[in-house]
Amino acid sequence: MITVLSLGPGPYEMLTEETTRCLQTGPLFLRTAKHPVAGKLHDARIPFQSFDSYYDQYEDFDELHHAIAASLLEDAKKHDLVYAVPDPDTDRSVFLLRTQCTVPVRILPGVSLPAYYLSCLPQPFAPSASLLSSPASDFTLPDSDRDLLITELHSRQLAGDIKILLSDLYDETSDVVFFSADQSPQVVPLYSIDRQKTYDHTCAIFVPYVPFEKKTRFSFSDLMHIMSILRSQDGCPWDQEQTHHSLRPYLIEEAYEAAGAIDENDTDHLCDELGDVLLQVAFHASIAESCTEFTRTDIATAICKKLMRRHPKIFGHTTELDADETWEMIKKQERGFSSVADSLADVSPALPALTRSVKLQKRACKAVVDFADMPDALHLAADLLSEIRQFIQDGKDPDAAIAKLFYTCTAISRLAGKDPEDTLSKANNQFIQMFSHAEEERKKARKTQNPLTLREMIVYLRSAR
């Protein structure tokens, strides 16, 4: 049997009588000897072993917790033992023992770390009912809509890591409460939590909830909260009347503007434009929730499940297929494709024509023979040009031949390893620059008052190359 003891926040006097008795039964293992109780055990000549060496031996805390649990389990197969930790309720190694251990595990309760620290909070700090408590080694940043208590801040490096996480949602000058064994709780700015005098497993920080109106950093939940206000009865009339269909143009426009920021290599602009894209997601989620169509959680659930299904090699399944093959195979299974035609019909008609053409060609190439090579595609393009010329001479509609030429030019671009959408976009930008230059040349020639003929404009455009 493994008996797990709670050492609590530090003072030996806070140990229960049963815990004090069990500390003397042995064999005794401490998660860490960097705890005030360890000093008392030394004074009382009570032998124990600690896992402090594991902190340097393992690269991350997940490996550390598993290694501790495995070591204890191996010893527990030979004899009963006692394992003492600051707080069994939040200790990951204790969790692993309780869920994976093949020998009985008994937990002796004691003074929990949250109960002790919260009782010591200075005024005007007071914990709310939505408090979230977590050891620093297991801490992941939640939304800033509740008080946080982060315990077992045992090193300056760990405190620095926690500061970086918290600074993503909190102003670095925000007041927090720092707890340590050798002094009373101190109110300090967030940026200084890795600049304190001492660190051990009894150190902790309390981060108070920041009211919405005082926030300087915001999360997706905050964005959804703003959307709920805007679409409420007392909110914005324009936001209230929007639908999925009315917002469709904005979704496309914002995506293109984000793509433009990527082309500019401007990360600040990209950050701003991705915010506009995220607003569209939040807007559609808010509309869907108000109409009971689906929720924001449904959106996140759908994409998370899809990513895990389509990466079976990473999320617990084995496959010999490469990533692209796996993705396409699973997508076919999900959507019930029984033929290449089904796959082609699935390519969204809302895509830009050039982009859709490339996707269609790539899917079709898996079932039919592609152009043999670039000369083959160029030869077809030349034939189509001749066909278009003949149609025009005969007074016939060349639309079908022009469409085939566009499609063939898309194939030429694809075979050349180019994205036709990008290529045409660059050509458009180049035309704007050339036209601007042509107008400047026209001004120099003092012909601004007279309309230029097409032939004259072509001469100016060619000079701008």
Side-chain angles (χ1 to χ4, degrees):
M1 173 181 286
I2 298 177
T3 301
V4 180
L5 307 181
S6 172
L7 297 181
Y12 192 81
E13 297 75 19
M14 288 189 176
L15 300 180
T16 66
E17 288 186 11
E18 189 172 10
T19 295
T20 303
R21 180 182 58 79
C22 285
L23 284 171
Q24 303 175 48
T25 59
L28 174 60
F29 294 83
L30 303 188
R31 168 157 178 161
T32 176
K34 297 177 181 178
H35 191 282
V37 170
K40 292 288 186 178
L41 296 175
H42 274 301
D43 295 342
R45 298 182 182 278
I46 297 175
F48 64 85
Q49 299 178 54
S50 81
F51 291 100
D52 285 328
S53 63
Y54 281 41
Y55 284 83
D56 296 325
Q57 187 175 345
Y58 293 95
E59 292 186 1
D60 59 46
F61 285 104
D62 191 50
E63 291 182 356
L64 168 73
H65 297 142
H66 279 85
I68 291 175
S71 177
L72 290 169
L73 175 58
E74 196 63 31
D75 280 334
K77 292 177 181 178
K78 306 169 188 174
H79 48 71
D80 293 345
L81 58 86
V82 177
Y83 178 45
V85 300
D87 191 346
D89 292 339
T90 59
D91 193 287
R92 185 67 180 173
S93 63
V94 174
F95 171 81
L96 293 172
L97 288 174
R98 298 183 72 172
T99 55
Q100 301 177 10
C101 193
T102 55
V103 300
V105 177
R106 181 173 67 128
I107 309 290
L108 291 188
V111 176
S112 71
L113 297 182
Y116 173 76
Y117 293 126
L118 297 181
S119 70
C120 298
L121 279 175
Q123 290 183 330
F125 296 93
S128 66
S130 61
L131 174 81
L132 177 65
S133 178
S134 171
S137 58
D138 292 331
F139 178 73
T140 54
L141 186 65
D143 290 334
S144 55
D145 58 355
R146 63 184 71 189
D147 294 327
L148 300 179
L149 179 67
I150 306 171
T151 60
E152 300 184 53
L153 207 64
H154 61 72
S155 69
R156 191 179 304 277
Q157 179 180 345
L158 183 56
D161 293 341
I162 295 297
K163 181 180 75 172
I164 292 172
L165 282 174
L166 291 174
S167 295
D168 193 46
L169 270 186
Y170 297 86
D171 190 307
E172 63 177 11
T173 62
S174 301
D175 284 340
V176 301
V177 181
F178 186 86
F179 300 89
S180 64
D182 60 352
Q183 60 183 6
S184 58
Q186 301 290 315
V187 179
V188 301
L190 174 61
Y191 67 77
S192 71
I193 64 172
D194 59 345
R195 304 178 188 179
Q196 303 306 304
K197 293 181 180 179
T198 59
Y199 295 90
D200 59 31
H201 283 76
T202 63
C203 292
I205 58 170
F206 175 79
V207 185
Y209 160 74
V210 179
F212 185 79
E213 61 275 8
K214 293 184 178 180
K215 287 187 174 184
T216 59
R217 304 281 294 172
F218 297 90
S219 66
F220 182 74
S221 292
D222 293 322
L223 175 58
M224 291 301 299
H225 177 63
I226 291 173
M227 288 305 310
S228 67
I229 294 174
L230 292 175
R231 289 180 43 77
S232 68
Q233 187 174 356
D234 298 324
C236 172
W238 186 87
D239 290 300
Q240 292 167 1
E241 66 185 16
Q242 296 312 304
T243 65
H244 294 307
H245 290 286
S246 69
L247 290 174
R248 182 182 182 277
Y250 301 105
L251 181 63
I252 296 171
E253 179 183 336
E254 299 301 354
Y256 270 112
E257 290 186 359
I262 292 173
D263 294 338
E264 295 167 5
N265 291 317
D266 187 335
T267 54
D268 289 336
H269 188 198
L270 176 59
C271 179
D272 184 63
E273 294 298 344
L274 288 177
D276 291 338
V277 174
L278 187 61
L279 169 60
Q280 294 304 309
V281 175
F283 216 144
H284 284 280
S286 179
I287 292 171
E289 288 179 349
S290 66
C291 299
T292 65
E293 296 170 337
F294 51 82
T295 69
R296 71 196 78 175
T297 305
D298 292 328
I299 296 172
T301 298
I303 188 59
C304 286
K305 285 185 174 180
K306 181 185 293 185
L307 288 171
M308 290 188 286
R309 280 197 311 269
R310 296 187 182 180
H311 295 86
K313 201 168 186 178
I314 297 173
F315 294 101
H317 306 289
T318 58
T319 176
E320 297 301 322
L321 299 175
D322 64 29
D324 289 339
E325 290 176 326
T326 301
W327 184 277
E328 291 300 325
M329 180 188 70
I330 295 174
K331 189 158 58 174
K332 288 179 181 179
Q333 293 173 350
E334 288 174 353
R335 300 182 182 180
F337 296 159
S338 59
S339 65
V340 175
D342 289 341
S343 176
L344 296 180
D346 183 64
V347 177
S348 174
L351 288 171
L354 288 176
T355 300
R356 189 179 183 216
S357 178
V358 171
K359 291 179 74 71
L360 288 170
Q361 290 178 24
K362 286 182 177 180
R363 293 193 181 187
C365 286
K366 296 176 181 179
V368 297
V369 177
D370 197 6
F371 288 103
D373 49 28
M374 180 66 80
D376 189 24
L378 292 172
H379 180 72
L380 177 58
D383 288 346
L384 288 168
L385 277 172
S386 298
E387 189 175 333
I388 292 169
R389 188 179 297 110
Q390 189 63 48
F391 273 128
I392 294 173
Q393 289 176 355
D394 296 344
K396 296 180 180 179
D397 185 358
D399 185 69
I402 292 173
K404 291 177 183 177
L405 178 61
F406 279 151
Y407 194 84
T408 304
C409 288
T410 300
I412 291 171
S413 179
R414 176 174 57 82
L415 290 170
K418 303 295 182 181
D419 184 312
E421 200 77 48
D422 288 343
T423 300
L424 186 57
S425 179
K426 290 175 183 176
N428 290 336
N429 292 335
Q430 185 180 24
F431 177 77
I432 293 171
Q433 293 171 358
M434 291 171 61
F435 201 93
S436 176
H437 176 79
E439 285 194 329
E440 290 297 323
E441 292 297 313
R442 182 186 176 195
K443 289 178 183 178
K444 292 177 182 178
R446 301 192 177 188
K447 294 185 177 182
T448 55
Q449 301 302 319
N450 302 317
L452 288 179
T453 65
L454 177 60
R455 186 178 297 277
E456 288 173 322
M457 180 56 74
I458 289 174
V459 170
Y460 284 124
L461 288 174
R462 285 176 176 172
S463 69
R465 291 179 182 176

